[in-house]
Each structure stands twice: as structure tokens, then as C-alpha cells.
Amino acid sequence: MTDSELRADVHSIEPIPDADRDSTGPQQMWIWAGANIAPVNWALGALGIILKLGLMETIAVIVLGNIVGCAIFAAFTVMGHKTGVNQMVLSRSAFGVRGAYLPSILMFVMTLGWIGVNTYFPVKISIGILGQFGIPDTWLIEIVIITLVMAVQVLIGVYGFYAIRTFEKYTVPPTIAIMVLMSILAWTRPGVVNWGLTSSLPPGAHLAMLTLLTTAIGVGWGISWVTWASDYSRFVPKSVPSKSVFWYSYVGMLVPSVWLAVLGATIASTTLDTDPAKMVSAVFGGPVSILVLLMVLHGPIATNILNVYSATLAALSAGLKFSRFWLTVIVGIAGYLVTLYFIFAPSFAKAFDNWMISLLLWMSPWAGVVLADFFIKRKGKIDVAELYRSPETSAYGDINWAGMIAFLAGLVAGWLVEDGLVGALQGPVSINLLGGADLSWLFGIAVSGGVYLALGKHVTSSSSIVASSAGR
């Protein structure tokens, strides 16, 4: 490693200076690949089986959905590359300086949930490893493991982008090698995969579940990363073509997401379980499983160091005045508590599905507004300095009501055609007219983007109104 790889990240939410933008396209690919070579993607694939879809149709949902969702994600990485600005500050262009505080807070709270989800897996994997040595699964053992894993994640998160980049660079290749081995053994050994597994759902419920899981584990997976995208692409120099940033990010997200979700679905076709430790044991068993379980511990940590880092940026983008160090510590404590919830939840599969559907309800309309603003309204041109001016003087205003109204319109539209496992999130159009089909991600993005562009010429921000009345 070189000195540049080891240096501390002193940046906060200010634009990254050109001298510090030294990340390459392949490094971006490693970052996103490392974050997705994780057991959480096994669980994503296994959800289709647990919720009674057939194996082949689960694989189709995973592949086709991710092709779309990861493209939406990659489009957001272009924003950070063009501007050198993190994702939540960039949303000030669409929502206004203080209007963007709302999505920043939502993103902060959501990321705490992701930290809990991803810490759940190394805890369960570690318990599986310890069980090989006769150590029982007790709440005390789980607490100790949570504490150790969270400490590692927070330490790397505090150190920042350069530590994250270096961690992924040196840990992803050996992890890929182990996952290749695991995939070969899973797909070639008899009795591991039930290739002929079909759905046991009646026709109406079958269609509803297909659309629900397309939202939750297909398109939704890529969309669930959009609020992080520019936090890392802002470190890529302007001399690198945006097209390269898009494709490296796309491949880094798409390949491991699809690969591991398909692996999870195939193994779950016989185990009928989302527990990664049980999945590994079903394929390997014996001493070899210990090696595999130790190697895949990398995945959740590789994901969570991004979550810890981006959560602090979201909090700072919402106007909090803490240092990045102390915010990282706070994030670690909050994520610790969320992990306890998932560890002791009666059904992780249902808790996880509920979580995915609920977060996509707000992320889709947010994404629609930001995409419409950046690529259509402003054609990729942002006045970076204005993003950081005071709400009273910024060209982007205090609260951009066009963005806020469009966001709410997309939120309502998405809810109307949503069919989650939580009663309150089951929209009347989906339940009564669409037979339970879930199209929330599509309607959320399309309606919010369309309303934003329609209102853009007629609705002004609050600070623009004040400035106009003052004769600015």
C-alpha cells in the first residue's frame, strides 16, 4: 500500500478539490462490488423462495429487475463525478437548501436500518462458526459479536473514503474466489438445488408476489443505493469520462447483486431458509464451512463501512453541526440498537421485506425528482457554489416547493399501487384494482419526476419569493 492509500479522509460535505480526486473507474467498481458481495444478497434471493415463488421465476425477477435498478443507481454516480459533491447536498438543487434537509434526515434514519440489517449477518455467520467448535448460541455471545463487528465498522468509517477504498481493493478479490468456489459446489453437487421448484401460490397471489418481489429484490435493490451513489464518485477526477464512471459503477453493482441473489435463491430452494450460516452448512458442511464462513464475514463489513460513512454525510447535509468523527460514533451506537431489533425479530425474512418496501416508498419519488432536475431540467449543469450558500441567498432557494410537492405526489402515487406485507403500506389501487400487484417504484419515480417538470415553470422557491419582493 502507498501513503495515499493510508491517508485519513479530512473531507466533510464540501466539494472535493481537484487535487484530492484521485479515484479511478476500476476502484469505484471494487467499492460497489465489495459492498454487494455480502450475505444480505443471499437473503434477497432467498426471499423469493421463502415467499413461495418458483426458483426460475425468482431468478428472472432478480436478473431483469437488477438490470433496471442498477442502471438507475449508476446514473446517480454521474452526478457526483460531474460536481465533486455528495448526494444529499446535490439534492438541494431540486429541493432547495433547507428543503433538502427532509430527504437528508430520511436517508440518515434509513441508513441506520441498513447498518442493523448488515450487522445481523456477520453475527449469524459468527454464531455458525462458533457452533462448529461447540460454543452455544446465547444472547451474551451475540452481544459480544455485535460489539466487535460494530467497532471495526465504525473505525473504518471514521477513517473515511481512502480507508474504504483500500479495504475493498485488497479484500474483494479473495472473497470473489471463495464465492466462485461456493457457487460451483452449490450448482454442481446433487441435492443442493431443487431446480424444478415451482410456486405454490394461486394465480392472483402469484402475480402480486412477482411484482412485490420485483420491487423489493429486483429493481428496488439498485434504487436502494441511489442516496449513496455520489458520496464516492465525487472522488473521481473530471478527466475520467462520466460514461466510464457509469459503466464501472453499473458492473460493480449489477454482477455481485445478481450473482449472490441467484446463489441465495438456489440454495434456499432446498433449505427454505434465509440464514446464511445454514445456507453455507448446506453446501459445504464440516471444516471447510468454517473457512467459507470466515471469508464471507467480509461482505457485511464491506457494506456497512459505506453505510457508516454516508450516514454521517447525510446528517451533515441536514445541517447538523457535529464533527464527522462524533457523528460516526453516534451512527455506530444507533446502528447497534437497530441490529438488536433484527437479531431478536421473530421472522427476519418478513422484517427485512417490510423494511425494503417501506424505504423504497420514499426513495423512488425522491429519485424521480432528482433525476428530472439534474438530467432534464438542468442538463447536468449545477452551480456548485450556490449549493452551499445560505438559504436566503442561494440560487436554489430555501425550499423549492416544486420539488416538495412533486415528492409528495410521488409518495402518494407509489403508496396507491404498493402491496407490502404491512397493512398500512397496502395501497387501495393495488389491492382493489390490480389484484395486489406492486408497481410502487415505477409510479413513485414517474409521477414525481413528471410533476416536478410540470411545476418547475410555475412554482418558485420560498427564498425566491422573498428576494423578489425585496427587489433583489
Side-chain angles (χ1 to χ4, degrees):
M1 291 186 292
T2 65
D3 290 340
S4 64
E5 289 180 316
L6 289 173
R7 70 186 186 273
D9 178 6
V10 298
H11 304 101
S12 180
I13 59 171
E14 74 283 355
I16 304 300
D18 290 343
D20 292 343
R21 296 179 65 172
D22 62 355
S23 184
T24 65
Q27 287 173 346
Q28 293 289 305
M29 182 176 67
W30 286 126
I31 288 173
W32 298 115
N36 285 279
I37 301 177
V40 64
N41 281 302
W42 298 359
L44 283 171
L47 274 178
I49 306 301
I50 300 304
L51 298 177
K52 300 183 179 180
L53 284 186
L55 178 56
M56 288 299 131
E57 59 192 355
T58 297
I59 292 174
V61 164
I62 292 167
V63 174
L64 297 176
N66 272 283
I67 287 173
V68 176
C70 292
I72 295 172
F73 155 79
F76 278 79
T77 66
V78 171
M79 301 179 190
H81 171 245
K82 284 183 173 292
T83 61
V85 177
N86 69 295
Q87 198 68 66
M88 286 298 107
V89 169
L90 275 171
S91 67
R92 294 175 180 177
S93 169
F95 291 95
V97 175
R98 282 193 290 198
Y101 286 3
L102 173 61
S104 297
I105 292 169
L106 289 173
M107 193 268 193
F108 174 74
V109 173
M110 174 193 70
T111 308
L112 298 181
W114 274 122
I115 292 171
V117 167
N118 286 296
T119 306
Y120 167 92
F121 289 104
V123 171
K124 288 299 183 182
I125 291 170
S126 299
I127 291 297
I129 295 172
L130 294 174
Q132 300 279 345
F133 296 96
I135 299 175
D137 179 1
T138 66
W139 68 268
L140 179 60
I141 294 295
E142 292 185 344
I143 292 295
V144 170
I145 295 171
I146 293 172
T147 303
L148 292 175
V149 171
M150 192 63 70
V152 172
Q153 294 170 165
V154 169
L155 178 63
I156 298 175
V158 164
Y159 215 62
F161 171 79
Y162 303 108
I164 292 171
R165 180 177 66 181
T166 301
F167 179 86
E168 308 290 14
K169 175 181 177 181
Y170 288 100
T171 59
V172 168
T175 305
I176 289 177
I178 293 295
M179 299 311 294
V180 168
L181 173 62
M182 184 177 179
S183 300
I184 292 172
L185 291 175
W187 295 333
T188 59
R189 293 174 63 182
V192 175
V193 181
N194 180 5
W195 295 105
L197 181 69
T198 58
S199 176
S200 60
L201 296 171
H206 186 204
L207 176 61
M209 189 57 67
L210 279 171
T211 58
L212 172 66
L213 288 171
T214 297
T215 297
I217 69 175
V219 178
W221 183 246
I223 294 175
S224 72
W225 280 102
V226 295
T227 53
W228 285 262
S230 292
D231 296 355
Y232 305 91
S233 60
R234 64 184 180 144
F235 287 90
V236 180
K238 295 177 181 177
S239 58
V240 175
S242 290
K243 183 178 180 180
S244 294
V245 175
F246 176 94
W247 284 112
Y248 275 115
S249 302
Y250 182 70
V251 171
M253 177 69 67
L254 177 70
V255 173
S257 297
V258 170
W259 171 22
L260 292 187
V262 169
L263 181 60
T266 52
I267 296 175
S269 67
T270 55
T271 64
L272 299 179
D273 206 305
T274 58
D275 187 324
K278 292 180 181 178
M279 289 183 180
V280 171
S281 298
V283 177
F284 291 94
V288 180
S289 67
I290 298 175
L291 171 63
V292 177
L293 289 170
L294 283 170
M295 289 303 299
V296 299
L297 277 172
H298 155 268
I301 295 174
T303 304
N304 265 352
I305 56 180
L306 271 67
N307 290 331
V308 170
Y309 180 69
S310 287
T312 61
L313 297 183
L316 291 167
S317 300
L320 296 185
K321 302 301 182 182
F322 292 91
S323 68
R324 191 167 66 82
F325 171 82
W326 285 111
L327 275 173
T328 304
V329 173
I330 293 170
V331 165
I333 294 171
Y336 186 97
L337 297 175
V338 175
T339 302
L340 294 178
Y341 164 74
F342 281 107
I343 288 291
F344 297 108
S347 170
F348 174 78
K350 289 186 177 181
F352 183 68
D353 183 79
N354 293 345
W355 169 247
M356 282 293 295
I357 292 294
S358 60
L359 70 87
L360 288 171
L361 182 60
W362 78 263
M363 290 185 75
S364 296
W366 175 86
V369 172
V370 174
L371 285 170
D373 178 76
F374 187 87
F375 289 106
I376 300 177
K377 181 179 180 180
R378 306 192 191 279
K379 303 187 185 306
K381 296 179 180 179
I382 299 292
D383 189 331
V384 172
E386 293 296 328
L387 295 173
Y388 296 88
R389 295 194 187 280
S390 68
E392 295 77 19
T393 61
S394 173
Y396 297 117
D398 184 352
I399 299 174
N400 182 358
W401 291 107
M404 300 299 286
I405 293 170
F407 174 74
L408 292 174
L411 197 66
V412 172
W415 171 75
L416 288 173
V417 292
E418 182 174 49
D419 179 32
L421 298 179
V422 179
L425 297 181
Q426 295 175 347
V429 174
S430 174
I431 300 302
N432 298 320
L433 298 180
L434 300 180
D438 190 316
L439 301 174
S440 56
W441 69 271
L442 179 60
F443 275 69
I445 290 177
V447 171
S448 63
V451 170
Y452 179 74
L453 294 174
L455 291 177
K457 298 179 180 180
H458 307 289
V459 179
T460 56
S461 67
S462 55
S463 65
S464 298
I465 295 173
V466 173
S468 176
S469 63
R472 180 183 174 191

